[in-house]
Amino acid sequence: MVFDAEQERFEREAEEQARRAAREAEREAREAARDARARRRGSYHNLGVLDLSWAKTLEDLAHIQNIRNVGVLRVPEHLYEFVSSLPMHNVGIIERVPSGERMEISGRSRVSGDFLAAGDPDAILQVTGQLFVLPPLERIGFKELHVTGQLFLPRGSESVLTGKLRRLTGQILYYRSDVGVPRLFTDGEEIGREFLELLPEPAPFIIMGSVTLEEDISVDLLRSKVAEITLAGKLYAPRHLLSVLQVLTVDKAGAILATQKGPDAETVDPWERAED
């Protein structure tokens, strides 16, 4: 009897899961159809990036009636005035894109300095998101560099951008590349004592997103294994590490926070001088 009851319960749960999956599939199909109808009517909405840079003439964009809730809107430079005159609501950035060949890197990516050096001299490199460039970076072969987001470059390569960086919406951050192998940490990762002890040599740390240092890390261990920190996001740490993190964090676009969560979490600014 117990077995029969359990079997019946499992069957009911399986049927309910199947019904939920079917309802979800129907909902997604309705949303896809709605979005397709909206585009046919010329309505673009709820998009992180809307790329219209492919358009050549006004006729290519004549169907657009309104644009709303778009983070980044890319438009051809020669059609910028026309697109700007369209009905818009809640559009974050309108980005002019010159005519010519383009290469795009989006999301969170990593490339070598040699990749940038070998770029097509007739093409524009468009970076959207976070791009980490491994050393050495001695030149940029692309005609132009457009960045919407964050670009991480080895320190000492600042002059390489001269004449190449034409558009920047975001930040360029530099990291130390003359000691150890750069260690890249992304959203949600945790760094503990055991990891640091296993590092063969000091290394620069690059933080992208929200990363946590665990309670078992000592000040001496952190200083001995972390050459420098480049921070783009939030770095959570126990209070006994906050002072040394102020020293180690050289380039920063974000915040260092005490491990405690909640409205009273403490933000520490590495460049803020203590009051006498």
Side-chain angles (χ1 to χ4, degrees):
M1 295 294 292
V2 174
F3 175 79
D4 291 341
E6 286 293 316
Q7 182 67 25
E8 184 178 349
R9 182 174 65 83
F10 289 148
E11 290 176 355
R12 287 199 305 269
E13 290 178 353
E15 291 175 358
E16 179 59 29
Q17 289 177 357
R19 285 193 292 269
R20 285 199 298 267
R23 289 195 297 268
E24 181 65 19
E26 291 176 0
R27 184 187 64 80
E28 292 178 354
R30 287 195 301 270
E31 290 182 353
R34 182 197 63 196
D35 290 344
R37 289 194 300 271
R39 285 181 170 81
R40 285 196 296 270
R41 292 195 304 267
S43 175
Y44 292 84
H45 57 271
N46 301 332
L47 298 170
V49 178
L50 174 56
D51 192 348
L52 302 177
S53 60
W54 50 268
K56 304 297 183 184
T57 66
L58 289 176
E59 287 72 20
D60 293 331
L61 304 178
H63 68 288
I64 299 178
Q65 297 178 7
N66 64 80
I67 299 172
R68 55 189 174 88
N69 299 335
V70 171
V72 178
L73 173 60
R74 290 197 190 125
V75 301
E77 194 163 40
H78 65 288
L79 297 177
Y80 176 82
E81 298 298 334
F82 170 75
V83 175
S84 298
S85 68
L86 295 172
M88 294 187 195
H89 175 69
N90 197 25
V91 174
I93 300 168
I94 302 179
E95 193 174 275
R96 305 187 193 200
V97 179
S99 58
E101 294 295 324
R102 287 191 306 128
M103 178 178 182
E104 182 170 351
I105 299 177
S106 60
R108 184 173 288 163
S109 307
R110 182 188 308 199
V111 300
S112 68
D114 291 339
F115 169 82
L116 294 183
D120 185 346
D122 295 323
I124 296 170
L125 177 61
Q126 174 71 53
V127 176
T128 303
Q130 293 176 315
L131 179 63
F132 181 79
V133 181
L134 292 166
L137 176 59
E138 299 175 350
R139 62 182 295 269
I140 296 177
F142 292 97
K143 176 183 177 182
E144 294 180 9
L145 178 62
H146 298 179
V147 178
T148 302
Q150 293 171 325
L151 186 62
F152 297 81
L153 302 178
R155 186 167 291 113
S157 62
E158 291 86 346
S159 62
V160 174
L161 294 179
T162 303
K164 296 293 185 177
L165 181 64
R166 296 300 179 89
R167 302 252 171 89
L168 173 63
T169 305
Q171 299 94 23
I172 296 178
L173 301 171
Y174 294 92
Y175 65 90
R176 186 175 175 182
S177 60
D178 62 341
V179 56
V181 178
R183 301 285 175 167
L184 181 62
F185 301 91
T186 57
D187 204 38
E189 291 195 65
E190 297 182 354
I191 302 171
R193 175 180 58 82
E194 184 176 2
F195 169 78
L196 293 178
E197 289 177 343
L198 290 173
L199 283 179
E201 60 182 351
F205 280 27
I206 295 90
I207 308 294
M208 297 182 182
S210 178
V211 174
T212 300
L213 295 179
E214 295 179 354
E215 188 74 30
D216 60 357
I217 298 175
S218 68
V219 170
D220 289 341
L221 178 60
L222 191 66
R223 289 181 64 91
S224 66
K225 292 303 178 79
V226 181
E228 184 178 286
I229 296 174
T230 299
L231 174 62
K234 293 181 179 180
L235 179 58
Y236 290 95
R239 289 185 177 275
H240 71 275
L241 296 179
L242 294 182
S243 294
V244 69
L245 289 173
Q246 292 179 4
V247 176
L248 292 174
T249 304
V250 176
D251 217 345
K252 168 176 168 284
I256 301 173
L257 303 170
T259 303
Q260 65 183 58
K261 306 296 192 300
D264 57 344
E266 179 180 347
T267 301
V268 178
D269 187 340
W271 290 275
E272 183 180 6
R273 293 185 177 180
E275 296 183 0
D276 295 331

